[in-house]
Amino acid sequence: MAKKIIQKTKNPMPLQDPHERAHNFDEVALGYTVDLAVLEAKRCIQCKNEPCVAGCPVEIDIRKFIQQVADRNFEGAFHTLLERNVLPAVCGRVCPQEDQCEVKCTLGIKNEPVAIGRLERFVADHGALLKFTDDTPPAPPTGHKVAVVGSGPAGLTVAADLAKMGHGVTIFEALHKAGGVLVYGIPEFRLPKAIVQREIDGLKHLGVEIKVNHVIGQTFTVDELFTELGYEAVFIGTGAGLPTFPKIPGINLIGVYSANEYLTRSNLMKAYQFPIFDTPTIRGRNVAVIGGGNTAMDAVRTSLRLGADNAYLIYRRTRKEMPARVEEVEHAEEEGVQIMMLAAPTAVLADEKSRVRAMRCIKMELGEPDASGRRSPVPQKGSEFDIEVDTVVFAIGQGANPLIRNTTPDLPVNKWGNVLADDDTGATQKAGVFAGGDIVTGGATVISAMGAGRKAARAIDTYLRNPSVDGYSPTDI
Amino acid sequence: MHRILSKEVLAPDVVRFWIEGTHVARKRKPGQFVIIRINDEGERIPLTIADVDKTRGAISIIVQGVGKSTRQLNAMAEGDAILDLAGPLGRPTELHPNRTVCCIGGGIGTAVVYPIACGFKALHGDVTAIIGGRTKDFVILEQELRAVADQVIVTTDDGSYGEKGLVTDALRRLIAEGRTFDEVVAVGPLPMMRAVVEVTRPLNIPTTVSLNPVMVDGTGMCGGCRVSVDGEQKFVCVDGPEFNGLLVDFEELGARLRAYREQEQEALKVYHEQQACRAQAT
């Protein structure tokens, strides 16, 4: 029998031209066509041990859905995804597959792995185009009521899973729009908001109720969700809350933003369409973004689209240590982002109107590995230099939002204010209260938050059926 | 959607609304604010809750039409609906019982001071209110405050009503007459709050101010509302809106309030043009 010849590399993702896309907010990646998807799916060797599934935090039956695509059974593939993932179009776009399912792909040992993420995105989008719907009948109503705080990836996952189990679920969202970081943080050009809305509509179809403009900790406390509104369990998925700024002079000048604010103005509030939309933003000509993660990439690429002539990304280590996805860094560079490695700001300098006129930086070199295992940057004495900028955006991480902590004194948190929750169940030490996502782990990924939501849903289901099993095991923390 | 139950013009470009908002009314304490968004294109506007009516599940806000959004809000009518209402936000006023307090409101700031005065009075405080406006027409909530406070002094810049002068002139006079206060609460334009603090600082009178910086989400997420208080970074939305006025960096706050001046003027211009077009069409 002739040996099957395998195409060594992934079928490339069709992209918008870098010069064009750097000036619009339309999606960068255009998605596979049907033929490309089938071709890519046929690269999968359908290996028995399917290591890719173990790499997926929400345990999608990857081998099965890829076979279905190869067989052109797109509806079947769509249902296979939905069984495990309520946000396939989102995950297909923003999951770091290269560190999860794809890194484990057998094909990847000698060649490039199967483009699982691109296929997931194709199936979700194609399914939406052909109006496939989730037709699995929901479980009979259990009569139990669960409150989910926050409508980001963790909250949406826990809500969908619990609704499918027959529980009554209400999501409380502080902002005016559901989706959390998917709507305020990740830009349109990477994750179109219509796609997020489509997946959230799918949740409503499952019977999940979403209450926007409800700030838990203020509108209702966690305790009031139990005592006044009669919920039997509460899941806290409020995300990474409070932006951090470095302790250097000039951070309160006009033109200095946290990445949260810069991205929220543009994404959630649509400031890039000002004055059609009312929220303004500063359209800097020379913009410096500080950080090396995906949020920093999103911010610096947004600045180009807002009209920057020079968009600098300033990172204190080197490319190798950047936490951002390689693909995002590459896209940013193609679009004209100028990456300045081994540099860190020491001061933001003002003009006479308290606006940013420049940023003073210092050169760094890499020293010994720190706690994170990455070589830590060491400032080089006397190497200060100024770069002329009018806008500075800090994307250097976040603290925990205090609103729930302040009003729920019996909910234990760590020294950074993150909620202490069991790794396997999301259970906290407060009876009936579960937590997951960035509020527990600090800033991480969409899919890890979804994985935490999945685990918490199982534990909440068990708890509702038998409240004496609270799933909390102190040794797991 | 949140229906406007009633609308009343209190002063030129200053309107009091009562709006449906059961979820906000039930929890609100003096000093807290809401975020309002008029429609899908709207920005998130932080506004102090001036009063609540728990039986009707309604809140009252007092709005001064300055930029596009506040003017658009003030053009809305009874029966119209506001798309989004989130709150109550911020920390409540730190009220202590049996206090002798001087509550000072400048212009629209009186709308913020009024619920604070009510809060102190409810705890058996001795409340003196000083409220000021440019002219008689700009003095608001005088009757409401008279119903609550032990003494109400009105000042106008031009002397068209009450005492001629600034609220700080009245405060200085009271102090010169030997009145003592456990606390002064001052809310109004930045220069006014700053001037009050300059009167109270040498006398070491604890002075609370309520700040209204540029804000986006109002829940601690964006950091746009950061101010320096005693050299420390604070977020007005979650750490405030009230702070020790003696420690606030007003200079920096003043600069930050001007961050979007050009865009604000542009938005207002476009709004006026649209209104003119609409008027012509009808």
Side-chain angles (χ1 to χ4, degrees):
Chain A
M1 198 174 82
K3 202 177 162 196
K4 190 175 157 194
I5 298 168
I6 291 171
Q7 182 187 326
K8 289 184 183 336
T9 54
K10 289 179 182 176
N11 287 287
M13 175 64 108
L15 300 172
Q16 248 201 94
D17 176 76
H19 299 291
E20 242 168 70
R21 76 185 190 228
H23 306 291
N24 69 51
F25 275 86
D26 299 338
E27 194 171 12
V28 167
L30 302 170
Y32 276 167
T33 57
V34 170
D35 289 341
L36 269 177
V38 172
L39 200 63
E40 182 64 28
K42 286 184 171 163
R43 291 183 63 228
C44 175
I45 56 170
Q46 292 287 314
C47 57
K48 285 267 177 319
N49 54 342
E50 49 181 10
C52 50
V53 179
C56 175
V58 295
E59 305 147 19
I60 292 173
D61 193 340
I62 294 170
R63 190 177 65 176
K64 181 174 168 192
F65 103 78
I66 289 183
Q67 184 62 56
Q68 287 165 319
V69 175
D71 297 342
R72 292 184 176 259
N73 174 10
F74 304 127
E75 188 157 13
F78 185 75
H79 290 302
T80 305
L81 282 185
L82 277 194
E83 262 169 44
R84 287 288 169 182
N85 188 348
V86 284
L87 308 173
V90 170
C91 289
R93 287 170 166 82
V94 305
C95 268
Q97 292 98 8
E98 62 279 7
D99 299 327
Q100 292 176 327
C101 49
E102 293 181 15
V103 76
K104 308 225 165 166
C105 176
T106 308
L107 202 59
I109 299 170
K110 285 193 178 163
N111 305 296
E112 277 188 9
V114 177
I116 301 169
R118 294 172 189 175
L119 288 173
E120 180 182 29
R121 169 187 161 142
F122 164 79
V123 171
D125 286 1
H126 195 67
L129 194 70
L130 298 185
K131 300 201 164 33
F132 297 154
T133 48
D134 186 3
D135 46 12
T136 37
T142 61
H144 292 298
K145 277 173 69 180
V146 182
V148 172
V149 185
S151 64
L156 293 177
T157 305
V158 82
D161 283 7
L162 289 168
K164 285 181 187 169
M165 295 169 188
H167 304 304
V169 184
T170 307
I171 299 181
F172 293 91
E173 166 55 47
L175 295 174
H176 56 263
K177 216 169 178 59
V181 72
L182 307 175
V183 298
Y184 76 72
I186 303 177
E188 181 78 15
F189 57 83
R190 207 151 71 79
L191 180 61
K193 300 311 144 209
I195 283 165
V196 179
Q197 193 54 49
R198 189 175 81 203
E199 306 215 314
I200 288 171
D201 288 344
L203 232 73
K204 289 185 188 161
H205 187 73
L206 289 172
V208 173
E209 179 190 22
I210 301 181
K211 283 183 181 286
V212 294
N213 294 320
H214 278 64
V215 187
I216 302 306
Q218 298 275 51
T219 312
F220 293 97
T221 63
V222 170
D223 285 323
E224 285 166 347
L225 292 175
F226 290 102
T227 55
E228 286 192 28
L229 301 183
Y231 292 98
E232 294 152 83
V234 173
F235 176 81
I236 299 172
T238 49
L242 222 51
T244 45
F245 294 90
K247 290 201 172 4
I248 60 172
I251 55 148
N252 291 342
L253 294 173
I254 299 172
V256 180
Y257 287 108
S258 70
N260 274 3
E261 181 180 1
Y262 193 65
L263 291 171
T264 299
R265 283 180 179 274
S266 182
N267 300 331
L268 177 72
M269 305 310 297
K270 304 268 179 280
Y272 64 89
Q273 294 183 57
F274 177 86
I276 297 169
F277 283 75
D278 291 338
T279 305
T281 191
I282 295 175
R283 288 173 174 261
R285 306 301 299 265
N286 300 295
V287 181
V289 175
I290 294 91
N294 289 319
T295 308
M297 297 301 156
D298 285 344
V300 76
R301 295 172 72 194
T302 295
S303 78
L304 279 176
R305 286 157 174 81
L306 289 172
D309 296 328
N310 290 295
Y312 305 103
L313 185 96
I314 295 171
Y315 183 55
R316 60 199 182 131
R317 294 181 164 104
T318 69
R319 184 180 297 258
K320 218 172 72 196
E321 288 82 18
M322 276 188 184
R325 297 180 70 188
V326 174
E327 181 183 301
E328 301 303 327
V329 182
E330 284 171 5
H331 284 173
E333 282 195 298
E334 286 167 14
E335 290 166 11
V337 168
Q338 301 164 54
I339 300 184
M340 300 172 76
M341 281 166 292
L342 290 169
T346 57
V348 186
L349 311 175
D351 68 7
E352 68 287 348
K353 287 180 172 165
S354 295
R355 289 180 183 267
V356 175
R357 72 170 171 82
M359 186 165 69
R360 183 152 299 160
C361 293
I362 189 162
K363 290 184 179 159
M364 312 293 268
E365 51 191 10
L366 290 184
E368 296 300 307
D370 64 9
S372 73
R374 297 177 297 179
R375 292 177 65 193
S376 58
V378 183
Q380 282 182 275
K381 243 190 191 145
S383 68
E384 284 91 348
F385 63 99
D386 290 355
I387 69 171
E388 209 177 292
V389 290
D390 51 29
T391 308
V392 173
V393 181
F394 288 102
I396 55 168
Q398 312 187 34
N401 190 291
L403 292 178
I404 287 189
R405 180 173 84 222
N406 287 348
T407 51
T408 320
D410 57 344
L411 182 71
V413 296
N414 68 14
K415 64 176 169 177
W416 299 285
N418 294 110
V419 175
L420 291 171
D422 188 298
D423 260 357
D424 297 324
T425 63
T428 69
Q429 289 171 61
K430 187 173 165 68
V433 177
F434 298 75
D438 284 3
I439 188 61
V440 172
T441 56
T445 61
V446 168
I447 190 70
S448 67
M450 291 178 65
R454 163 81 21 96
K455 288 177 183 171
R458 279 182 204 140
I460 291 170
D461 180 57
T462 309
Y463 171 80
L464 290 171
R465 291 169 202 283
N466 184 1
S468 65
V469 183
D470 67 3
Y472 179 75
S473 154
T475 54
D476 285 350
I477 291 183
Chain B
M1 300 290 274
H2 303 272
R3 214 154 44 89
I4 296 173
L5 301 172
S6 66
K7 174 186 178 179
E8 179 191 352
V9 176
L10 299 184
D13 291 325
V14 177
V15 175
R16 169 162 53 196
F17 292 103
W18 280 93
I19 300 170
E20 282 176 342
T22 313
H23 66 301
V24 177
R26 61 175 274 288
K27 260 311 262 296
R28 165 270 184 190
K29 293 199 172 83
Q32 290 187 299
F33 65 95
V34 286
I35 287 212
I36 273 179
R37 209 167 64 109
I38 300 172
N39 55 27
D40 265 325
E41 293 78 35
E43 60 185 331
R44 294 171 64 89
I45 315 165
L47 292 163
T48 300
I49 306 166
D51 208 348
V52 288
D53 180 344
K54 287 187 184 176
T55 53
R56 276 199 302 171
I59 64 159
S60 125
I61 51 169
I62 296 173
V63 185
Q64 181 169 33
V66 181
K68 189 239 173 174
S69 294
T70 45
R71 281 175 197 255
Q72 191 184 358
L73 187 55
N74 282 359
M76 292 178 82
E78 195 177 302
D80 288 351
I82 284 163
L83 182 57
D84 294 300
L85 173 69
L89 300 170
R91 288 171 181 268
T93 308
E94 278 186 39
L95 297 168
H96 301 281
N98 307 313
R99 283 289 178 102
T100 304
V101 187
C102 184
C103 294
I104 307 176
I108 186 80
T110 305
V112 182
V113 151
Y114 168 68
I116 300 173
C118 294
F120 276 110
K121 199 63 214 173
L123 294 176
H124 317 293
D126 180 323
V127 177
T128 300
I130 304 175
I131 56 174
R134 255 187 295 147
T135 69
K136 180 174 195 261
D137 288 345
F138 290 92
V139 175
I140 60 168
L141 301 181
E142 184 194 352
Q143 292 318 314
E144 286 85 345
L145 273 162
R146 286 203 187 279
V148 173
D150 298 273
Q151 184 189 3
V152 176
I153 298 168
V154 178
T155 66
T156 50
D157 296 6
D158 66 350
S160 55
Y161 186 60
E163 297 179 14
K164 183 175 182 335
L166 304 172
V167 286
T168 39
D169 296 329
L171 175 64
R172 275 200 204 93
R173 177 175 61 78
L174 290 179
I175 291 168
E177 286 169 8
R179 290 283 298 278
T180 57
F181 298 106
D182 299 325
E183 184 177 344
V184 169
V185 179
V187 189
L190 277 197
M192 173 231 138
M193 293 194 278
R194 221 170 163 170
V196 168
V197 165
E198 290 324 310
V199 174
T200 56
R201 191 191 308 276
L203 303 166
N204 246 329
I205 306 172
T207 305
T208 301
V209 294
S210 181
L211 305 181
N212 188 13
V214 173
M215 204 176 267
V216 185
D217 63 291
T219 66
M221 193 259 287
C222 87
C225 65
R226 60 194 187 274
V227 292
S228 298
V229 180
D230 202 15
E232 264 189 62
Q233 184 183 83
K234 297 283 180 194
F235 291 176
V236 172
C237 64
V238 290
D239 299 321
E242 292 170 17
F243 293 98
N244 179 347
L246 304 176
L247 303 177
V248 169
D249 185 341
F250 287 107
E251 185 81 39
E252 181 186 276
L253 178 59
R256 287 183 67 78
L257 280 170
R258 292 189 291 273
Y260 299 99
R261 182 149 292 180
E262 280 168 32
Q263 289 98 321
E264 283 158 6
Q265 280 163 357
E266 186 191 343
L268 195 56
K269 190 168 155 258
V270 172
Y271 176 66
H272 284 319
E273 283 165 6
Q274 283 169 348
Q275 295 301 100
C277 275
R278 215 162 281 166
Q280 241 171 17
T282 51

